[in-house]
Amino acid sequence: LLAEKGKSRGRRKLQALVLTPTRELALQVYESFTVYGRYLPLKTTVIFGGVGQGKQVNALKNGVDILVATPGRLLDLMNQGYVDISTIEFFILDEADRMLDMGFYDDIMQIVKLLPTVRQTIMFSATIPETIQQLPHNILNDPEIIKIAVSRPAETIIQAAYIVYANQ
């Protein structure tokens, strides 16, 4: 992002888009960008539904490098002409499994169709149900899948469960 920031002159262009399923997660991701990027010349904002859009629109009008958004509000503001995702270079789907569980598949596909074809796409998912297995193949070219499995505890650790009854 910093390398691209140096190339762009004038108004900020939207470089990265992070989609999350809920406003709570969107705020959490936004706060992380704010903390970790505190000393960087990158501007981040967050948009989500359930609140007035005035402050969000003003932040977008002032220029943004990184946008964290929920799908519904993003599509709404895109349809109103406040968000242009044609310059996105990095597209992140956070909790992709949850987004699909919440019925955002059509919204995601609508957003993906408007993204540049040349971009880096990253999907994070805690589980890999059938629908998630198909999504990378629908929106990516030759996707790489990295699975991190939960490992067994060391053999030297003894695990036990104790059933405890309330005093009678």
Side-chain angles (χ1 to χ4, degrees):
L1 289 173
L2 286 176
E4 292 303 314
K5 179 78 180 130
K7 291 180 188 175
S8 66
R9 299 283 179 230
R11 192 171 193 280
R12 293 178 186 273
K13 67 173 187 167
L14 188 54
Q15 298 178 72
L17 172 62
V18 182
L19 275 186
T20 68
T22 65
R23 77 177 89 178
E24 294 81 13
L25 183 57
L27 282 167
Q28 186 179 25
V29 171
Y30 166 74
E31 288 170 6
S32 293
F33 271 108
T34 302
V35 170
Y36 299 136
R38 175 180 23 222
Y39 301 109
L40 299 175
L42 298 170
K43 194 168 178 186
T44 304
T45 198
V46 61
I47 60 173
F48 51 84
V51 297
Q53 70 180 36
K55 289 182 182 179
Q56 296 174 2
V57 168
N58 288 338
L60 292 166
K61 285 180 178 178
N62 290 330
V64 175
D65 300 299
I66 304 164
L67 178 61
V68 182
T70 56
R73 178 56 61 102
L74 175 62
L75 286 170
D76 184 27
L77 294 181
M78 287 171 58
N79 290 333
Q80 293 180 54
Y82 293 120
V83 180
D84 175 14
I85 61 173
S86 66
T87 57
I88 294 291
E89 298 170 45
F90 305 96
F91 176 53
I92 297 99
L93 283 170
D94 197 8
E95 291 198 25
D97 56 339
R98 194 149 169 230
M99 270 199 268
L100 294 180
D101 286 344
M102 294 174 71
F104 288 122
Y105 180 83
D106 290 339
D107 291 347
I108 292 169
M109 296 311 291
Q110 188 176 350
I111 291 164
V112 167
K113 286 178 185 174
L114 299 171
L115 289 169
T117 54
V118 177
R119 66 177 186 275
Q120 181 177 8
T121 301
I122 303 169
M123 291 175 47
F124 294 102
S125 182
T127 60
I128 313 285
E130 182 81 24
T131 51
I132 290 293
Q133 291 177 27
Q134 296 304 320
L135 188 59
H137 300 286
N138 291 343
I139 66 173
L140 302 174
N141 295 322
D142 197 23
E144 290 288 331
I145 297 174
I146 300 170
K147 293 182 181 179
I148 301 173
V150 176
S151 62
R152 295 174 138 181
E155 291 182 24
T156 57
I157 296 176
I158 298 170
Q159 294 186 3
Y162 295 96
I163 298 172
V164 179
Y165 298 97
N167 289 339
Q168 296 186 18

